[in-house]
């Protein structure tokens, strides 16, 4: 099943929340990009280049590099290659891998839904309003924000900024690798 209009709207709102934190002409890695890598597609000429990483089958697109892998087993990219990494769940080993591939002073942009969104998404999946590609059933157990910030600091990230968006149903955290 292809992405629905609702899926695309939610993706666009997430893109709008992250865009102000992405400097022009930088290198972006989108972890969990989905098979269409829409985030990178929307960035277009704003960035120097982008790489999408996901475990799903990825649709080839000559405008961006796509890597299929299980990020829990490591990210098969060189160290200090990216200025920004966007969108992932919070487990510490993955954060360490992201820290490794970011350039000094590079940023991590994380978005994730509030737990109260999950029952709603299950209903929307059941009636076909949200596509199966959105994989709401794969959302990680939610950690309290202070725990997420603590994990980021333990890995070496600094200056974490948090805000809610999409009517308070989603979170955005932006933090930076120490120079």
């Amino acid at each position: 099943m292809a992405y629905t209009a609702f899926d695309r709207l939610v993706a666009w709102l997430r893109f709008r929340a992250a865009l102000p934190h992405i400097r022009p002409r930088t290198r972006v890695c989108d972890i969990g990009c989905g098979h269409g890598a829409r985030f990178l597609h929307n960035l277009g000429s704003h960035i120097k280049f982008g790489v999408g990483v996901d475990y799903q089958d990825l649709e080839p697109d000559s405008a961006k590099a796509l890597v299929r892998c299980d990020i829990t087993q490591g990210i098969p990219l060189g160290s200090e290659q990216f200025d920004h990494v966007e969108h992932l769940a919070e487990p510490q080993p993955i954060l360490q891998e992201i820290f490794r591939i970011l350039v000094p002073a590079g940023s991590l942009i994380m978005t994730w839904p509030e737990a109260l969104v999950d029952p709603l998404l299950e209903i929307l999946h059941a009636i076909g309003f949200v596509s199966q590609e959105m994989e709401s059933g794969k959302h990680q157990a939610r950690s309290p924000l202070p725990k997420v910030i603590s994990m980021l600091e333990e890995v070496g990230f600094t200056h974490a900024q948090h805000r809610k968006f999409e009517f308070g149903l989603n979170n955005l955290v932006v933090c930076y690798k120490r120079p």
Side-chain angles (χ1 to χ4, degrees):
M1 175 180 179
Y3 287 123
T4 67
F6 181 77
D7 297 336
R8 290 189 296 275
L9 172 64
V10 169
W12 174 249
L13 291 171
R14 287 179 185 227
F15 169 75
R16 282 189 35 195
L19 181 61
H21 303 283
I22 298 176
R23 295 180 310 276
R25 305 297 306 147
T26 53
R27 300 157 295 177
V28 175
C29 180
D30 183 8
I31 308 277
C33 65
H35 69 271
R38 299 293 305 168
F39 184 83
L40 295 173
H41 177 77
N42 288 337
L43 284 172
S45 62
H46 180 76
I47 60 173
K48 186 173 185 177
F49 73 85
V51 173
V53 178
D54 207 305
Y55 70 91
Q56 299 182 64
D57 288 329
L58 301 168
E59 295 175 1
D61 184 329
S62 60
K64 55 195 145 310
L66 300 172
V67 176
R68 184 175 183 208
C69 71
D70 176 355
I71 62 171
T72 65
Q73 303 301 311
I75 300 171
L77 300 170
S79 296
E80 298 186 355
Q81 291 194 9
F82 295 95
D83 301 290
H84 306 280
V85 174
E86 196 276 337
H87 195 99
L88 78 149
E90 51 75 17
Q92 197 154 359
I94 297 170
L95 292 174
Q96 291 167 335
E97 274 294 282
I98 289 166
F99 190 86
R100 180 185 65 78
I101 67 172
L102 276 170
V103 298
S107 66
L108 166 62
I109 303 167
M110 293 184 359
T111 62
W112 73 94
E114 288 288 319
L116 63 95
V117 169
D118 293 338
L120 175 61
L121 282 175
E122 287 180 30
I123 293 166
L124 294 175
H125 271 293
I127 63 173
F129 199 67
V130 174
S131 69
Q132 294 305 313
E133 284 84 358
M134 292 301 277
E135 299 184 312
S136 59
K138 294 202 179 241
H139 285 155
Q140 305 293 318
R142 307 309 191 281
S143 294
L145 182 62
K147 182 178 178 188
V148 172
I149 300 298
S150 176
M151 280 193 291
L152 291 166
E153 291 171 348
E154 286 173 22
V155 170
F157 287 101
T158 63
H159 300 88
Q161 305 160 24
H162 172 259
R163 79 173 178 88
K164 292 186 181 255
F165 67 103
E166 290 180 355
F167 313 109
L169 297 174
N170 283 279
N171 295 280
L172 170 80
V173 167
V174 179
C175 56
Y176 301 88
K177 181 176 180 176
R178 287 189 192 122

